[in-house]
Amino acid sequence: MPVPVTTFIAPNTAATEPAGEFVLVEGEEYYRISGYHRMPPFLMSIPSDTDLWMFVSSSGGITAGRANADGSLFPYETVDKLHDGHHHTGPITLVRVRRKTDPGILWHPFSVRSEEEFRIDRNLYKNAIGNRLIFEEINHDLELAFRYRWSACDALGLVRTSTLTNRSADTVAVSLLDGLRNILPFGAPLLLYQRSSCLVDAYKRTDCDKDTRLGIFSLTAQIVDRAEAVEQLRANTVWCHGLRDFDVCLSADAIAAFRRGESVSGETTLTGRRGNYLVVSSFDLAIGAQAQWHLVADVARSHVDVAARRHRLREGGDLDREIEENIRNAGRNLLRNIGSADGLQLTGHSEANVHHSANVLFNNMRGGVFATNYDLPTADLRDFLWTRNRDVAGRHDAFLGTLPDEISTPRLVAAAQATADPDFQRLSYEYLPLHFGRRHGDPSRPWNRFSIRAGGQDGVRVLHYEGNWRDIFQNWEALSHSFPGFLPGIIAKFVNASTVDGFNPYRITRDGVEWEVTNPDDPWSYIGYWGDHQVVYLLRLLEALQRFSPGALESLLEREIFCYADVPYRLKPYEEIREHPHATIDFDTAL
């Protein structure tokens, strides 16, 4: 059984080896790694119920944002650079402690200096569903503990919640610098800041609203090399709540000044330099007391969004409760997502329960999960048909207009069969109302560009999926155990994306298929997948259909409603293949 943890404090031991166990934190199950800093750094993905994404190194380095890498709050870097990124990017905390007996001691939690100067313990906690991550450092010399938690929710964005606890027998006077470094403005092109970051810096502007201390990170203009005025009308934002009195510094100079013990004052504007959001505050911490505050960040905020946030911050009220309730709602939404694909189980082994839930969650993230079981929205079906085949959509538009707002998948397939239109039947099978899916790109696989399309501007869930050929069918094979009624549609998608000459498309998407155009200068460039080592996935799907619905496979084999994908690869004539056996394919540029 998990061990209840009420104070987050692990036993102070002299052990040098990291150890892991399940614990209960505020009634929720977490896995704790004590002494994690003695392990080589490792990368963690912190999922959300929406398009928010976060990759965190155990060293503290972070990249995070919305939708895709172009929607980053911090620079999107490869995993090796993230492991080193805590030196200059992401969270930083400096604490100067004063008691009656000392003039002031500087503590930099999670730094190498902290390990060298103090007796410390460190713990890393991740909750069972994976959407909350807590870093904790206990300073036994100063008798203080500091922790911060990463979480996310659609209404607010990315939330860093920090807590400083006084474990001593005296009241302590605390001077604090806490914040986020190297925050990107919205609209900075990914490849440009990865290759020419100094050019992007020249376009940066950071503002701090005097009334609410809302930080606004923007570009003075879009970065183009043409003689035209192009504005970037969205910005990234950061704000703080929970500290009674604080100033906000925008430049990294404040960090060095604070270390030297100098007075640090707030700033309202910073231009042409990397933007930061550094909160400076002083307060007394009574015996056994805690100070807690939130830093809340979001990306791609419009003028309307910024004005609404300023109004909410001026309004005040119980923001703590609002933040925590939004985070809890995000967790409940994620649990529903996992549960819809049979990802929740209860056994006598917590490791097995959590491992199963994590497998299902990441399977859903890569391949998607069916939004409302076997029901589908008719409006989205019409959009799908007009995207995939305008002729078919036009022929049946009047019929589609007679359908209710929602229709079950079996009813759609039956209605398509009644039309005797093989193209309409084929597309009715191929329509898969999946949401939440994205390609499996991450900082350890930067060559795969993920894109999360979770919600539209009207709040309605976007039905979308995309993935590399091999990956998406692996995910759908597992998903079919929870939704066996969609097996004919998944099989149809596989068959209709196959090619007659053995080269399959590179990517599978809701809108169809994508192929790769070879680039002679790129050693990683190729033309997709050979079909022979993909057939095993089709075999597994066919076996599953036979098992769940005997007779359905034979019925599909008798119907001429499937096709080959017409991708522009052509096998060369036999004589040319004999002459050059390592160059057997032509790319049909005209097609």
Side-chain angles (χ1 to χ4, degrees), residues 163-183:
T163 306
L164 181 65
T165 304
N166 181 7
R167 303 176 64 218
S168 73
D170 296 310
T171 297
V172 295
V174 173
S175 295
L176 171 76
L177 182 146
D178 181 76
L180 304 174
R181 296 163 297 169
N182 198 12
I183 300 169

Side-chain angles (χ1 to χ4, degrees), residues 83-331:
H83 291 329
D84 298 329
H86 62 283
H87 294 296
H88 50 74
T89 297
I92 183 172
T93 304
L94 300 174
V95 181
R96 189 173 297 280
V97 182
R98 292 182 176 85
R99 290 190 177 92
K100 298 177 182 178
T101 57
D102 61 65
I105 299 175
L106 183 66
W107 175 33
H108 183 175
F110 309 109
S111 69
V112 174
R113 179 180 298 181
S114 178
E115 296 178 55
E116 295 171 345
E117 296 179 352
F118 303 104
R119 292 180 300 120
I120 59 114
D121 281 333
R122 286 180 185 160
N123 303 305
L124 183 66
Y125 302 77
K126 194 176 186 184
N127 67 339
I129 63 172
N131 69 330
R132 301 188 195 187
L133 182 71
I134 300 173
F135 288 84
E136 180 185 56
E137 178 167 314
I138 303 102
N139 190 318
H140 297 287
D141 293 325
L142 297 180
E143 296 182 290
L144 295 172
F146 176 74
R147 66 178 180 267
Y148 68 87
R149 180 192 70 196
W150 282 115
S151 53
C153 58
D154 196 38
L156 300 173
L158 304 162
V159 183
R160 179 177 179 262
T161 301
S162 301
T163 306
L164 181 65
T165 304
N166 181 7
R167 303 176 64 218
S168 73
D170 296 310
T171 297
V172 295
V174 173
S175 295
L176 171 76
L177 182 146
D178 181 76
L180 304 174
R181 296 163 297 169
N182 198 12
I183 300 169
L184 288 173
F186 182 73
L190 174 65
L191 292 179
L192 190 61
Y193 73 66
Q194 288 180 336
R195 296 175 180 176
S196 304
S197 54
C198 56
L199 174 62
V200 177
D201 287 347
Y203 284 78
K204 290 179 179 178
R205 179 184 175 93
T206 307
D207 295 280
C208 182
D209 178 58
K210 293 181 180 179
D211 294 335
T212 63
R213 284 161 289 188
L214 172 69
I216 304 169
F217 299 80
S218 61
L219 290 173
T220 54
Q222 288 188 21
I223 306 175
V224 296
D225 195 24
R226 294 186 296 270
E228 59 184 24
V230 186
E231 293 184 278
Q232 175 52 257
L233 299 179
R234 290 181 177 267
N236 295 341
T237 61
V238 183
W239 50 276
C240 177
H241 175 74
L243 294 171
R244 181 172 297 177
D245 295 305
F246 65 90
D247 285 328
V248 174
C249 300
L250 304 177
S251 69
D253 299 339
I255 299 173
F258 189 92
R259 287 186 185 279
R260 293 191 297 265
E262 299 173 3
S263 176
V264 178
S265 57
E267 301 168 273
T268 57
T269 304
L270 182 72
T271 58
R273 297 169 64 186
R274 294 181 180 182
N276 310 273
Y277 189 86
L278 304 171
V279 173
V280 180
S281 181
S282 297
F283 49 86
D284 290 338
L285 204 56
I287 300 170
Q290 292 184 337
Q292 185 176 88
W293 61 97
H294 307 276
L295 294 178
V296 185
D298 210 348
V299 302
R301 299 298 88 190
S302 67
H303 288 76
V304 174
D305 297 329
V306 171
R309 178 52 55 191
R310 290 182 65 221
H311 175 75
R312 180 67 188 90
L313 292 173
R314 283 197 300 265
E315 189 180 48
D318 197 351
L319 272 174
D320 283 308
R321 180 179 178 181
E322 180 181 324
I323 292 169
E324 291 298 332
E325 183 58 30
N326 275 294
I327 292 172
R328 283 192 292 269
N329 283 337

Side-chain angles (χ1 to χ4, degrees), residues 353-373:
N353 300 337
V354 173
H355 189 253
H356 177 65
S357 294
N359 281 345
V360 171
L361 172 59
F362 281 89
N363 196 75
N364 291 354
M365 289 169 66
R366 285 177 60 175
V369 64
F370 291 103
T372 53
N373 296 319

